[in-house]
Amino acid sequence: MRLLAFPDVKFPRQLVVAGFALLLGVCGRAASASASTGPTSGGPVVPRNSSAAQLEAHAAEFAKIVKPFIADTCMDCHDSGTRKGKLDLEELADFPSVAKDRSKWEAIYDKLRHGEMPPKDEERPDPAKLRAVTQWLLTQFDRQDDAAPVYVGRVAPRRLNRSEYNNAVRDLLGVNFRPADDFPPDNSGYGFDNNGDVLSLSPLLTEKYLKAAEKVARTAVYGVEELKPTSYTHQPWYIDFETDGAVKLPYDETGLSLPYSLHVMHRF
C-alpha cells in the first residue's frame, strides 16, 4: 500500500481516493426502480393494456357517438368513391382504427374542433353532437398516451467538469484552491461542458485527479503550502560582458556609469 507522507501523518492512498470519489466524478447516477415505472435498465416500460370489457365499452361508445356523426356529416365527401382530400372514412369505420390510424383521427379532430369541417357552405352539425365527438376522441387519445410504452431513457454516468470540481473542493473543504485548472479542457456536447455523454475519463485526467486529490488533502489539513525560494540569474544581452566579479575603479556607487554594469528590472 502506497502512503501519502506529510509531516507527522501518513494518509493511505486508497483512503484519499475513496474520500474524493465525488471529486473524481465517478458518481454515476442510476435510474431508480419502482413498480410503476417498470425496469431500471433504461428500456421502455410494459404498456398498461385495457381489459376486454373496457375495449368493448369503448367500441360501443364509438358506434353510438362517432360513427353516426361521421355517416351523417362527412361521408358525402369522404367515402370510398369520392375520397376528397385523399381521405376515405369507410376505412375508419370501426373502433380499432382510432388506434391504428391515429394520425388520421387526429387530423379529423383538429378539423372538427376548429370548425374547418364541414366546410362553411355546408350545413353545420349539431353543436352538442360535435362536442360529444371531439370530447370522445380527445379522451381516447389521452387513454392511448397513458397506455403507450414509456421510454424513460438512460442516465449516463458522468464526472464533474473543471468548474464543478473546483466548486466542490471549495464548498466541501473550504480550501481556496483551484486544482482543476491544471486538468485537460472538458469536451462539450450541444454547447454544454457538463454533458455526461461527452465527459470522458482519460488516463491523463485520472493521473491529474490523483495528483489533485493529494494536493487538496495536504492543503485541507495543513493549509496552503509555503512558497519555496527560487533563484534567477540575469544574463547580459551581449557576449563580451565580464563576469569575473572584480570591482572596477574608479567605482561609481550608483552603478549607472560603470562600463561593465548590468541594469535589470526583476518582477516578483
Side-chain angles (χ1 to χ4, degrees):
M1 177 187 299
R2 179 186 170 186
L3 299 179
L4 306 181
F6 299 137
D8 302 327
V9 67
K10 293 183 178 180
F11 293 100
R13 186 180 183 87
Q14 290 85 341
L15 179 60
V16 173
V17 174
F20 288 93
L22 174 63
L23 304 182
L24 297 183
V26 294
C27 49
R29 298 175 295 181
S32 60
S34 64
S36 60
T37 58
T40 60
S41 60
V45 177
V46 177
R48 301 179 295 275
N49 296 324
S50 301
S51 64
Q54 290 175 328
L55 293 177
E56 291 179 2
H58 294 318
E61 293 174 353
F62 177 87
K64 179 180 179 181
I65 300 174
V66 180
K67 192 170 184 178
F69 180 88
I70 296 296
D72 296 339
T73 308
C74 309
M75 278 299 184
D76 291 341
C77 300
H78 299 288
D79 59 2
S80 59
T82 307
R83 294 178 59 89
K84 189 174 182 180
K86 298 182 179 180
L87 177 62
D88 181 8
L89 291 179
E90 292 184 6
E91 299 176 351
L92 310 177
D94 54 3
F95 169 69
S97 66
V98 178
K100 180 180 178 181
D101 299 304
R102 174 167 173 169
S103 61
K104 295 181 179 180
W105 279 108
E106 285 182 340
I108 295 172
Y109 168 80
D110 291 336
K111 295 291 186 181
L112 294 176
R113 185 168 67 92
H114 293 101
E116 299 177 7
M117 288 293 169
K120 300 296 183 182
D121 56 350
E122 297 289 340
E123 182 181 356
R124 306 307 300 168
D126 182 15
K129 294 182 179 180
L130 176 62
R131 183 168 54 254
V133 171
T134 54
Q135 184 61 41
W136 186 88
L137 289 174
L138 181 61
T139 302
Q140 290 301 311
F141 296 154
D142 292 341
R143 184 186 65 83
Q144 293 173 13
D145 292 339
D146 291 341
V150 179
Y151 181 69
V152 298
R154 63 181 182 85
V155 180
R158 64 177 296 270
R159 62 170 177 83
L160 302 179
N161 61 22
R162 295 195 299 175
S163 298
E164 293 170 337
Y165 190 100
N166 286 331
N167 293 339
V169 169
R170 180 198 62 207
D171 296 342
L172 295 178
L173 302 177
V175 177
N176 189 17
F177 177 53
R178 300 178 59 86
D181 291 351
D182 191 40
F183 294 172
D186 295 315
N187 296 327
S188 61
Y190 306 100
F192 297 94
D193 64 354
N194 58 353
N195 189 334
D197 290 332
V198 298
L199 288 176
S200 58
L201 190 61
S202 63
L204 175 61
L205 182 57
T206 303
E207 294 178 3
K208 295 287 187 179
Y209 273 141
L210 295 175
K211 183 178 179 180
E214 296 177 7
K215 188 177 295 186
V216 169
R218 171 64 175 80
T219 304
V221 175
Y222 295 104
V224 180
E225 186 177 1
E226 297 182 358
L227 294 178
K228 298 180 180 179
T230 58
S231 62
Y232 184 84
T233 302
H234 294 278
Q235 298 290 342
W237 58 272
Y238 47 91
I239 62 175
D240 58 346
F241 183 82
E242 293 188 8
T243 59
D244 57 2
V247 179
K248 306 298 180 182
L249 296 175
Y251 181 73
D252 182 4
E253 293 182 356
T254 65
L256 298 178
S257 61
L258 294 178
Y260 296 102
S261 61
L262 177 64
H263 304 284
V264 296
M265 179 179 293
H266 183 83
R267 298 186 181 275
F268 294 90

